[in-house]
Amino acid sequence: MNAAAWSLLALFLTALLALAWPLGRWMHTVMEGRFAAGHRIEAPLWRLLGVRPEAETGWWPYARGLLLFNALGLLAVFALQRLQGTLPLNPQGFGAVAVDSAFNTAVSFVTNTNWQGYGGETTMSYLTQMLALTVQNFLSAATGIVVVMALMRGFARHSARAVGNVWVDLSRATLWVLLPIATVWALAFVATGVIQNLSPFLTLTPLQPGVGEQTLAMGPTASQLAIKMLGTNGGGFFNANSAHPFENPNEWSNALQMLAIFAIPAGLCFTFGRVVGDRRQAWAVLAAMALIFVLAVVAATHFEQQGNPALAALGADQAASALQSGGNMEGKEVRFGIAASSLFAVVTTAASCGAVNAMHDSFTPLGGLVPTALMQLGEVVFGGVGSGLYGMLVFALLAVFVAGLMIGRTPAYLGKKIEPFEMQMVSVAILVTPLLVLLGTAVAVMSEAGRASIQDAGPHGFTEVLYALSSAANNNGSAFAGLSANTPFYNVLLAIAMALGRFGVILPVLALAGSFAAKPRAEATTGSLPTHGPLFVGLLVGTVLLVGLLNYVPALALGPVVEHLTLWAK
């Protein structure tokens, strides 16, 4: 990495920390019901819905409510896509979305994946973009927040039967966390040049003679962009996502987008410290996330600045140097360059966002391996809104359990003993996504329908499929653009991976919340493992890297590693 790349990383982390600290405090205040002014709005809303805020439930009724809530969202998003041809706010006259694509998109936005097998500006009406996709961006993000809040309460409560009220938690996460922050961010995006209108598409005649008319897509972009980033959703208003100049026009909008992706996940770490009454725990988890993140940024930037020898032989390295970028500029926007593009790629895949300001398919083999591996870690390096923290806490439980075996003591985390049931739930939560990724990839490359969509032969084509399944099962949503995934085969396969990858982790996490809440506190002794110092941070990072990546080593060797060796051997 050069000096400019290091400076960009340092500025990003400094701004993130300054933003996350007060945000974490605010989320603790509102989610624990300490925002007195909000009660005047909440009370009539709950009376209208028949919700009794004081009636908290155990983990299973909490989970049932969450599943029902998301099932209704899935039906609504599917119906709006199928009916958009007969609904208003459709100036381009788009018809109904195909059944398989509508199903895939509905599952995608409900699970916070926002995988898009379609071009937004050529497929979805303004009403569908706003009422189906943007609204679900809020609700899927709220789902992640309430799950991690339930787990926090599980650690904080003792001999209790309840983990919270799901309807109260969903209301507060939406009303007091996501809506106000998204409003501020949307206005900031408009100020940087992101478009926000309901105008029909513009038809323009270029100045160059002999060139036909050009159509410029319009639409309410900033409002969707704000929650797309803050909710770590990632679904773009335009097909080119955050590489589109109307969606990400300059370096200021680019910086705001990256900060938005990490803001709530980082802030929730501080919320965690406040809920459990030990802010050192927040710093330990945040330090583990930040350490892996910095290593990933250094690696990705280095591999992209190293360049592509095949393009260098054609003189492309000289052209890149002329742009003061150096290295591999293929698939990247000149207005961002390599450092900002590499940082964005790591941010969006460290979090389960999936927005892109460069085409990952054009990264160097090892440059593309970094975002792939970050997803395969389980999206716990900051991760999605809520989902990143509860995923990291699952790894923390595993790390404590392993340490307990090594020193011959009963493992405990935050005063709660880790017993067979908890380890069963931890195992399910950690293993469900690798199973989905590897089995799904095997099905895709072994079937004719799966291979027919692969653009590139050899290891790169395999990487395209592996990346797609890693993205879907881990609820990221970014893609190697070379895979033509908008087919019935991939729409169904990826939808299954997205649904099981989301709720196959949420259910065991909620079961952990219920189990820990029912346990009495075990007093710390001289033999207890401290979970807030550098030793534990190192243990946690090692557990994430070893357990998270070992499942994928053979697959990564067949894809990006082989491609790298082949490329540099020429």
Side-chain angles (χ1 to χ4, degrees):
M1 284 176 57
N2 56 27
W6 280 112
S7 299
L8 180 62
L9 176 59
L11 287 172
F12 173 76
L13 290 174
T14 302
L16 176 65
L17 189 61
L19 179 65
W21 175 262
L23 184 55
R25 185 173 182 175
W26 170 248
M27 288 189 288
H28 175 247
T29 299
V30 299
M31 294 305 295
E32 293 297 274
R34 299 176 184 177
F35 180 44
H39 294 169
R40 291 192 294 270
I41 296 176
E42 294 171 348
L45 175 64
W46 290 333
R47 282 197 299 271
L48 178 65
L49 298 175
V51 173
R52 292 186 296 121
E54 71 283 356
E56 295 190 342
T57 65
W59 80 268
W60 178 236
Y62 196 99
R64 282 204 314 264
L66 206 58
L67 290 172
L68 174 63
F69 178 74
N70 282 274
L72 294 174
L74 188 149
L75 292 174
V77 175
F78 180 81
L80 283 166
Q81 291 177 86
R82 294 292 295 158
L83 297 173
Q84 74 173 6
T86 62
L87 296 174
L89 290 177
N90 186 7
Q92 300 308 118
F94 294 138
V97 179
V99 173
D100 59 297
S101 181
F103 170 67
N104 178 278
T105 303
V107 173
S108 174
F109 277 77
V110 165
T111 59
N112 200 245
T113 311
N114 297 61
W115 172 273
Q116 294 177 293
Y118 59 89
E121 69 269 45
T122 58
T123 307
M124 302 293 183
S125 69
Y126 292 166
L127 183 71
T128 303
Q129 294 264 34
M130 292 187 295
L131 193 56
L133 307 187
T134 303
V135 168
Q136 196 55 53
N137 280 349
F138 282 95
L139 303 183
S140 64
T143 296
I145 292 175
V146 304
V147 172
V148 79
M149 289 304 303
L151 183 58
M152 292 181 198
R153 295 186 191 117
F155 288 124
R157 295 179 178 181
H158 316 300
S159 304
R161 294 184 177 181
V163 297
N165 185 313
V166 66
W167 308 113
V168 170
D169 288 345
L170 286 167
S171 301
R172 287 173 174 164
T174 305
L175 287 174
W176 310 127
V177 178
L178 298 171
L179 269 173
I181 304 174
T183 300
V184 172
W185 233 272
L187 292 173
F189 281 140
V190 171
T192 64
V194 178
I195 67 170
Q196 178 73 15
N197 58 56
L198 294 174
S199 304
F201 290 6
L202 298 180
T203 302
L204 305 175
T205 302
L207 296 176
Q208 183 178 352
V211 178
E213 293 182 336
Q214 182 179 5
T215 300
L216 295 182
M218 297 282 107
T221 307
S223 55
Q224 180 171 321
L225 177 63
I227 191 58
K228 148 191 166 178
M229 296 305 192
L230 287 164
T232 61
N233 296 285
F237 192 93
F238 300 103
N239 187 35
N241 206 280
S242 289
H244 197 290
F246 288 174
E247 195 162 333
N248 192 7
N250 51 52
E251 65 275 12
W252 293 107
S253 62
N254 196 59
L256 283 174
Q257 291 188 31
M258 290 190 291
L259 279 174
I261 294 171
F262 270 9
I264 296 178
L268 280 169
C269 292
F270 294 115
T271 303
F272 169 62
R274 290 178 176 274
V275 171
V276 300
D278 187 352
R279 298 180 191 178
R280 296 174 302 175
Q281 305 295 333
W283 284 107
V285 172
L286 189 64
M289 292 178 172
L291 179 57
I292 301 174
F293 170 70
V294 170
L295 292 175
V297 172
V298 171
T301 307
H302 168 74
F303 293 134
E304 291 308 298
Q305 289 181 337
Q306 189 177 30
N308 184 325
L311 294 178
L314 301 174
D317 57 337
Q318 299 174 4
S321 298
L323 294 170
Q324 297 181 344
S325 298
N328 178 37
M329 275 296 292
E330 182 190 355
K332 298 176 180 64
E333 297 297 310
V334 175
R335 64 186 185 276
F336 302 135
I338 288 177
S341 299
S342 299
L343 178 60
F344 198 110
V346 173
V347 169
T348 195
T349 50
S352 65
C353 183
V356 294
N357 75 346
M359 299 301 106
H360 296 181
D361 193 43
S362 295
F363 276 34
T364 62
L366 295 186
L369 183 148
V370 173
T372 306
L374 283 169
M375 294 186 297
Q376 291 170 344
L377 290 176
E379 296 288 16
V380 298
V381 184
F382 291 97
V385 168
S387 62
L389 180 55
Y390 65 65
M392 183 60 87
L393 292 177
V394 167
F395 274 108
L397 294 173
L398 179 60
V400 170
F401 179 77
V402 171
L405 292 179
M406 293 171 65
I407 63 176
R409 294 186 180 273
T410 301
Y413 185 61
L414 301 178
K416 300 298 179 76
K417 290 184 178 180
I418 303 172
E419 296 176 307
F421 176 77
E422 288 78 40
M423 285 313 302
Q424 291 168 7
M425 294 300 100
V426 166
S427 299
V428 172
I430 289 177
L431 293 176
V432 63
T433 50
L435 284 172
L436 290 169
V437 172
L438 297 175
L439 288 175
T441 302
V443 169
V445 298
M446 290 172 62
S447 63
E448 186 63 34
R451 292 194 302 271
S453 295
I454 300 175
Q455 171 182 285
D456 300 288
H460 191 80
F462 176 79
T463 303
E464 290 172 354
V465 178
L466 178 65
Y467 191 103
L469 269 299
S470 299
S471 177
N474 290 285
N475 303 130
N476 182 272
S478 63
F480 262 34
L483 183 71
S484 301
N486 193 11
T487 65
F489 174 84
Y490 277 106
N491 280 332
V492 173
L493 177 66
L494 296 176
I496 293 171
M498 289 185 281
L500 295 179
R502 176 73 160 178
F503 298 105
V505 176
I506 282 179
L507 291 178
V509 166
L510 288 176
L512 285 170
S515 178
F516 283 127
K519 291 177 181 287
R521 175 176 285 277
E523 294 299 326
T525 66
T526 55
S528 300
L529 173 69
T531 57
H532 52 73
L535 177 63
F536 180 72
V537 171
L539 177 63
L540 180 54
V541 170
T543 302
V544 171
L545 294 177
L546 288 174
V547 177
L549 277 184
L550 277 179
N551 297 301
Y552 298 102
V553 168
L556 292 172
L558 289 173
V561 174
V562 168
E563 184 183 3
H564 171 79
L565 295 174
T566 304
L567 182 65
W568 284 90
K570 294 180 180 180

